[in-house]
Amino acid sequence: MYLTTRFYVFAIVAILLLATGNYSAPFYTVGMAAVWLLLAATIADIAILYSRRGIVASRQLADRLSNGDDNDIRLRVESSYPFALRLTVIDETPFVFQRRDVDFLLRLKPREGKTIVYKLRPTQRGVYGFGRIRVFVRSALSLAERRYTCGESQDAKVYPSYLMLHKYELLAMNNRLTEMGVKRIRRAGNNTEFERIKEYVEGDNYRSVNWKASARRHQLMVNVYEDERSQQIVSVIDKGRPMQQAFQGMTLLDYAINASLMLSYVAVRKTDKAGLVCFADHTDTFVAPSRRHGQMERLLDALYSQQTRWSESDFGDMLATINKRLTKRSLLVVYTSFANTQAMTRQLPYLKQLNLRHKVLVVFFADNEMRDFVNSSPRSTEEYYQHVIVEKMLYEQRLIVSQLRQHGILSMLTTPQNLSVDVVNRYLELKERQAI
């Protein structure tokens, strides 16, 4: 039980009246009446608040929260009191958010219930612990308030951004993927690839007649198609030291994980097989490419526990693992970050070896803040030096892209916030060109 601010205001007024009674007797009488009235009202207020256990509150949240997305948290508060109430509802959110504003003021009518919805945006994967729900109840008198401790402590696992997959699926169903930034790719045919031209025989589809070939041969010729072969799309994620760099609260590794999950989902929808390789000082995760039922769950579970490491990444061990376990030509989307051209040069032989058997797309990250800083006007000698350093770093990023392309390795420089959409668009482009 707590006394409210209103109680203390009335108590101060009563004390002032009593103090004034030293100079004027009527004020003392009024002050004593105010004290007794305040005590009686407060006792009555406490009595009606504690006459029953009239508040029930619960928390509704998903078993999995989506990393980097706004997740809805719902609080349901119900009253069984026969009179109106004023409530302050406080939810004990996980300490990692460091939020002190998850409190809500409500007014409930007699025996009414309301639902509170607020959002949390986690930026790290892992297990997040929610505490209890604290509800402070005041009647119309508002002289005292009763505290209720409701709900139970809950743990929620934060997984890679699966909400983006649901958004993609909904937009795909409504043919509105352009709103997400995914380009519309048109391919001729219906899940088929051209194989050869042959002579027309009775029963062939007349719509497949090749009129140019027929004119040259002076007889009907038809195109023969075969079912489009399923291709393998493998996300290769570097977990080394450079991937610990953070952008808007999330590490580059988390952005790479979200993008790989999105790419895998799109690939499976396109009847391709999606796989995963994660490596740092050694290769510790390999999920074989597949499009069978449950593959996305396997990828999600594998990505959930990935963490960056302080060691330098071993591209040689990653190369050996892929050569040993991937026998079919695949599109390897390598998410990494090179600090400079020297770092890229050390790993170039391994990337070239990968590119001999597979199609390699190297994805690394550009920093918008660096670009904005270069575009600003320096105001001091120190800022001139800083501009020169940042311009050199941006130049080296462009140089890395150029050098990789010179060796026949596809590369893409993109910002973290655009990573998922840019990777999906590049995959669709390569698939449309049959370059995989």
Side-chain angles (χ1 to χ4, degrees):
M1 189 268 292
Y2 300 91
L3 298 176
T4 64
T5 303
R6 177 179 291 186
F7 171 86
Y8 290 107
V9 170
F10 287 153
I12 291 173
V13 171
I15 292 171
L16 291 176
L17 289 173
L18 291 173
T20 309
N22 292 326
Y23 307 99
S24 177
F27 282 101
Y28 181 82
T29 303
V30 174
M32 287 300 297
V35 168
W36 287 109
L37 181 61
L38 178 61
L39 289 176
T42 303
I43 293 172
D45 199 10
I46 295 173
I48 62 176
L49 288 177
Y50 282 84
S51 62
R52 66 178 68 194
R53 183 168 180 82
I55 293 295
V56 176
S58 60
R59 181 191 302 110
Q60 300 173 3
L61 54 85
D63 292 334
R64 297 176 177 178
L65 300 182
S66 182
N67 192 26
D69 297 319
D70 289 330
N71 298 265
D72 287 341
I73 312 297
R74 297 177 181 273
L75 302 178
R76 179 66 180 177
V77 183
E78 296 181 351
S79 168
S80 60
Y81 282 105
F83 48 85
L85 297 173
R86 296 180 181 178
L87 286 74
T88 301
V89 182
I90 300 176
D91 192 14
E92 295 181 347
T93 57
F95 69 90
V96 68
F97 290 106
Q98 293 296 305
R99 289 187 59 173
R100 301 292 183 268
D101 59 344
V102 189
D103 57 333
F104 308 93
L105 301 178
L106 292 182
R107 290 177 179 268
L108 292 183
K109 297 177 181 179
R111 296 182 175 86
E112 184 186 19
K114 286 187 177 180
T115 300
I116 303 168
V117 181
Y118 70 96
K119 297 181 182 296
L120 289 179
R121 180 181 180 270
T123 56
Q124 298 177 5
R125 286 165 288 112
V127 179
Y128 286 48
F130 287 80
R132 309 292 292 276
I133 303 172
R134 313 290 180 178
V135 182
F136 296 86
V137 182
R138 299 182 301 279
S139 67
L141 294 175
S142 294
L143 296 174
E145 63 181 6
R146 179 180 178 182
R147 188 185 77 171
Y148 285 89
T149 299
C150 305
E152 298 293 336
S153 299
Q154 291 178 268
D155 289 336
K157 293 183 177 180
V158 177
Y159 274 72
S161 180
Y162 64 87
L163 289 182
M164 187 183 298
L165 306 185
H166 298 327
K167 180 180 179 182
Y168 177 91
E169 185 171 14
L170 290 174
L171 293 178
M173 292 171 60
N174 296 314
N175 294 319
R176 294 165 51 198
L177 285 177
T178 51
E179 296 180 11
M180 194 174 182
V182 178
K183 297 178 182 177
R184 190 182 299 275
I185 303 294
R186 298 184 180 274
R187 287 191 66 179
N190 182 24
N191 292 327
T192 57
E193 291 181 341
F194 176 78
E195 182 182 11
R196 60 190 174 89
I197 300 175
K198 73 175 187 69
E199 296 179 2
Y200 174 84
V201 296
E202 186 176 354
D204 286 339
N205 191 339
Y206 68 90
R207 288 179 296 182
S208 62
V209 172
N210 189 321
W211 296 107
K212 291 184 178 180
S214 299
R216 289 195 300 267
R217 297 288 297 271
H218 301 289
Q219 59 178 333
L220 287 177
M221 306 293 292
V222 294
N223 295 330
V224 178
Y225 297 92
E226 63 176 355
D227 290 338
E228 184 178 342
R229 289 187 293 269
S230 176
Q231 297 161 324
Q232 296 189 157
I233 313 300
V234 181
S235 299
V236 183
I237 301 178
D238 180 5
K239 302 189 298 180
R241 185 171 55 251
M243 298 295 283
Q244 293 185 354
Q245 181 181 348
F247 181 83
Q248 292 184 350
M250 289 177 55
T251 64
L252 296 184
L253 174 64
D254 283 314
Y255 282 105
I257 286 174
N258 290 347
S260 65
L261 190 64
M262 181 71 176
L263 175 63
S264 300
Y265 181 78
V266 175
V268 170
R269 285 182 60 92
K270 294 290 183 180
T271 70
D272 286 338
K273 299 178 180 179
L276 174 69
V277 174
C278 297
F279 71 101
D281 52 349
H282 68 282
T283 305
D284 55 13
T285 303
F286 180 87
V287 179
S290 173
R291 58 185 179 92
R292 294 178 299 174
H293 178 72
Q295 179 69 359
M296 290 306 302
E297 284 293 327
R298 284 188 284 273
L299 293 174
L300 193 62
D301 290 337
L303 290 169
Y304 166 73
S305 59
Q306 302 299 330
Q307 299 293 335
T308 55
R309 300 182 183 173
W310 289 102
S311 56
E312 184 173 355
S313 301
D314 189 345
F315 277 69
D317 186 73
M318 177 267 290
L319 170 65
T321 301
I322 290 179
N323 285 341
K324 179 181 179 180
R325 306 190 68 172
L326 277 182
T327 57
K328 181 182 176 181
R329 179 177 173 84
S330 309
L331 171 64
L332 304 180
V333 183
V334 182
Y335 301 89
T336 188
S337 180
F338 295 124
N340 47 51
T341 53
Q342 288 78 15
M344 186 274 296
T345 303
R346 289 198 302 270
Q347 313 302 345
L348 184 58
Y350 305 112
L351 295 175
K352 291 170 65 176
Q353 285 290 325
L354 277 179
N355 204 46
L356 291 177
R357 296 183 57 183
H358 306 278
K359 194 71 173 178
V360 177
L361 171 62
V362 180
V363 180
F364 51 102
F365 302 87
D367 192 336
N368 277 342
E369 293 180 357
M370 293 173 59
R371 294 178 180 177
D372 294 339
F373 180 75
V374 168
N375 293 331
S376 64
S377 301
R379 300 179 180 179
S380 63
T381 303
E382 181 181 358
E383 288 191 2
Y384 276 105
Y385 283 113
Q386 292 173 348
H387 269 68
V388 171
I389 295 172
V390 173
E391 285 178 354
K392 181 182 178 182
M393 295 172 66
L394 294 176
Y395 170 75
E396 286 199 343
Q397 286 184 336
R398 295 192 297 269
L399 186 61
I400 289 172
V401 173
S402 176
Q403 290 180 355
L404 289 173
R405 289 175 178 172
Q406 288 176 6
H407 290 90
I409 300 172
L410 299 177
S411 59
M412 185 171 66
L413 180 64
T414 183
T415 56
Q417 67 267 33
N418 295 328
L419 177 63
S420 297
V421 171
D422 288 347
V423 169
V424 169
N425 282 333
R426 192 61 179 275
Y427 155 71
L428 295 175
E429 177 189 345
L430 293 172
K431 190 173 180 65
E432 189 270 338
R433 288 166 35 200
Q434 300 183 2
I436 303 177

